[in-house]
């Protein structure tokens, strides 16, 4: 294969580079130890032993008992499985989640609504935080489960899961948290959190894609989502993806070891990047609360530009970042997370997420800070929405402003819809 050009990677919330230690741990299970872990003979049993060793490591990452760890194919499956199980085992019809969850919850919630279930998408405050009073008010006698993410993937805003779980316990409702963005950045302790279910995805912590886990608290009733063989103690059918499981185990060990680095060095890099942008580039603003926030995430709105254009120009110089907005079949929808926070569609469309990781260096940040300001300036120079545009009398500025006001009204509407 041709050597890839150097990539300046600022999209660690999307996925992470596989750690060399993780790849090394996986290779024997691609080459020599390829037996089925469910087979009774020694060649299978040997593989089974390694699956269980990985389960112990993943359990240790979240302070769970290995029996409480169920391997899945991804974070999405883990989230879907927890909610599905709660609905089946309780026989209740109402789910509470938030308007800023990953599409793993938003789209599953909408799917449930179409099938006769009721789903409340709790609104958030303008800084992305959750009003727990609203959560308490939303719980009903027919509520099966509350599912609130531990940290938001777009803004990094951290939610008070311990308090959410305490409310759920006091009201006899199951509690799930999507902790996909958290390991390696915060210490995760399921016992201290008091949740019934917790989801992780290995590819966010330097392990391969296609492997996730669901923590199911001991004695919490569980109904499998993937029905088939007796694997995972009868809780998920399907032969385990052994190399991925082993990689996940190794990555779990590394995530605990790199926690300190994420919270000191990576945090300092993120802060330097964010402070520099906010101070040096006019008309920029951070989306979401400054704290509590993941140490690696900065989501910045650049007024008068389209994020997709910024990302394209960054890509041309080898920089990977992402927008808070999803691009669907050519039309740009503003991010549902930023919309739920009341960010205007215009500002949401100009928002870029930079998410750092353990492999980022000072040099990476210098490189980004060298290229970003001229890119923003270049785009603003040709943006009709820029009031300082030298030719702005040639454009329909009044029309553009009116459209902006219209967008603002839509954003407010959306907030009401979300409520
Ligand atoms: C918060 C959150 N939840 C769930 C997922 C889905 O994880 P997976 O890609 O493993 O399905 C992601 C992935 O981006 C995420 O950021």
């Amino acid at each position: 294969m041709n050597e890839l050009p150097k990539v300046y990677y600022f999209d660690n919330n999307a996925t992470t580079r596989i750690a060399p230690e993780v790849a090394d741990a996986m290779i024997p299970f691609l080459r020599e130890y390829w037996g089925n872990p469910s087979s009774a003979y020694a060649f299978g049993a040997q593989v089974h032993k390694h699956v269980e060793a990985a389960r112990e490591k993943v359990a240790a990452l979240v302070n769970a008992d290995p029996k409480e760890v169920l391997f899945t194919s991804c974070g999405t499956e883990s989230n879907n499985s927890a909610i599905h199980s709660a609905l089946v085992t309780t026989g209740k019809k109402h789910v509470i989640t938030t308007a800023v969850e990953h599409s793993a919850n938003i789209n599953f919630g909408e799917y449930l609504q179409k099938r006769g279930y009721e789903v409340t998408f709790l609104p958030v405050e303008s800084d992305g935080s959750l009003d727990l009073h609203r959560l308490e008010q939303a719980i009903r006698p027919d509520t099966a489960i509350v599912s609130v993410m531990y940290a938001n993937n777009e803004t990094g805003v951290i939610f008070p899961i311990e308090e959410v779980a305490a409310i759920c316990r006091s009201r006899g409702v199951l509690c799930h948290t999507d902790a996909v963005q958290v390991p390696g950045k915060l210490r995760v302790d399921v016992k201290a959190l008091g949740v019934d279910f917790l989801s992780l995805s290995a590819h966010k912590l330097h392990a391969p894609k296609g492997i996730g886990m669901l923590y199911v608290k001991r004695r919490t009733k569980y109904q499998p989502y993937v029905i088939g063989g007796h694997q995972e103690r009868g809780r998920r059918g399907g032969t385990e993806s052994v190399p991925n499981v082993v990689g996940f185990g190794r990555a779990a060990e590394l995530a605990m070891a790199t926690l300190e680095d994420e919270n000191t060095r990576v945090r300092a890099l993120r802060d330097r990047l964010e402070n520099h942008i906010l101070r040096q580039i006019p008309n920029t603003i951070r989306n979401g609360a400054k704290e509590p926030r993941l140490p690696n995430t900065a989501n910045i709105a650049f007024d008068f530009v389209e994020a997709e254009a910024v990302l394209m120009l960054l890509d041309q110089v080898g920089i990977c970042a992402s927008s808070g907005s999803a691009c669907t079949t050519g039309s740009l929808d503003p991010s549902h997370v930023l919309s739920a926070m009341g960010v205007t569609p215009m500002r949401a469309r100009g928002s870029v997420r930079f998410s750092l990781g353990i492999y980022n260096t000072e040099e990476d940040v210098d490189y980004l800070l060298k290229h970003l300001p001229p890119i923003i300036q270049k785009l603003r120079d040709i943006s009709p929405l820029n009031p300082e545009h030298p030719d702005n009398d040639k454009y329909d500025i009044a029309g553009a402003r009116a459209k902006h006001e219209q967008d603002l009204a839509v954003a407010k509407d959306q907030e009401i819809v979300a409520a």
Side-chain angles (χ1 to χ4, degrees), residues 13 74-76 102 104 149 153 178 180-181 201 203-204:
N13 289 8
C74 59
T76 301
H102 186 267
M149 68 199 326
N153 46 305
D178 173 348
V180 163
Q181 291 294 342
S201 175
H203 74 98
K204 311 288 183 180

Side-chain angles (χ1 to χ4, degrees), residues 136-152:
E136 289 202 76
Q137 284 177 330
I139 296 178
R140 316 187 314 208
D142 64 339
T143 304
I145 187 165
V146 170
S147 175
V148 174
M149 68 199 326
Y150 200 158
N152 187 270

Side-chain angles (χ1 to χ4, degrees), residues 216-235:
V216 183
K217 188 178 172 183
R218 201 156 68 101
R219 298 212 184 89
T220 297
K221 286 195 186 126
Y222 187 73
Q223 169 62 37
Y225 186 59
V226 178
I227 297 171
H230 60 273
Q231 293 90 351
E232 298 297 298
R233 296 167 17 104
R235 293 179 299 176

Side-chain angles (χ1 to χ4, degrees), residues 39-72:
S39 298
Y41 40 76
F43 186 54
Q46 209 173 25
V47 175
H48 175 77
K49 228 174 54 199
H50 287 278
V51 168
E52 293 315 306
R55 194 185 309 279
E56 279 176 24
K57 292 171 188 169
V58 174
L61 177 66
V62 297
N63 194 27
D65 187 284
K67 288 200 180 87
E68 296 171 313
V69 167
L70 161 57
F71 288 119
T72 64

Side-chain angles (χ1 to χ4, degrees), residues 101-230:
E101 300 292 314
H102 186 267
S103 51
N105 264 24
I106 301 285
N107 291 347
F108 192 61
E110 287 172 358
Y111 165 87
L112 290 172
Q113 282 175 323
K114 288 190 195 120
R115 276 150 192 84
Y117 293 91
E118 284 188 61
V119 182
T120 300
F121 294 99
L122 292 170
V124 294
E125 308 298 304
S126 59
D127 64 356
S129 64
L130 190 63
D131 178 351
L132 293 179
H133 189 58
R134 283 196 205 238
L135 166 63
E136 289 202 76
Q137 284 177 330
I139 296 178
R140 316 187 314 208
D142 64 339
T143 304
I145 187 165
V146 170
S147 175
V148 174
M149 68 199 326
Y150 200 158
N152 187 270
N153 46 305
E154 291 191 20
T155 59
V157 169
I158 295 168
F159 291 99
I161 298 306
E162 222 174 303
E163 291 168 57
V164 169
I167 292 170
C168 291
R169 259 195 321 279
S170 74
R171 303 287 294 273
V173 175
L174 290 165
C175 181
H176 165 252
T177 188
D178 173 348
V180 163
Q181 291 294 342
V182 178
K185 300 166 195 161
L186 299 180
R187 198 172 292 286
V188 182
D189 183 339
V190 288
K191 293 192 176 75
L193 289 174
V195 291
D196 298 285
F197 303 102
L198 177 142
S199 304
L200 296 186
S201 175
H203 74 98
K204 311 288 183 180
L205 55 139
H206 305 285
K209 295 153 192 64
I211 179 83
M213 82 84 137
L214 179 66
Y215 157 79
V216 183
K217 188 178 172 183
R218 201 156 68 101
R219 298 212 184 89
T220 297
K221 286 195 186 126
Y222 187 73
Q223 169 62 37
Y225 186 59
V226 178
I227 297 171
H230 60 273

Side-chain angles (χ1 to χ4, degrees), residues 258-306:
T258 54
L259 198 63
E260 175 71 17
D261 186 47
E262 281 270 8
N263 279 282
T264 51
R265 195 187 61 85
V266 177
R267 182 187 291 277
L269 287 180
R270 188 276 312 266
D271 288 346
R272 179 158 85 84
L273 173 64
E274 181 172 283
N275 291 338
H276 188 99
I277 293 172
L278 296 177
R279 286 190 197 132
Q280 305 299 324
I281 307 181
N283 297 303
T284 50
I285 187 166
R286 179 185 51 250
N287 290 313
K290 189 163 192 232
E291 294 296 340
R293 185 167 53 136
L294 294 176
N296 75 321
T297 309
N299 190 313
I300 315 258
F302 297 89
D303 281 351
F304 320 124
V305 298
E306 291 283 353

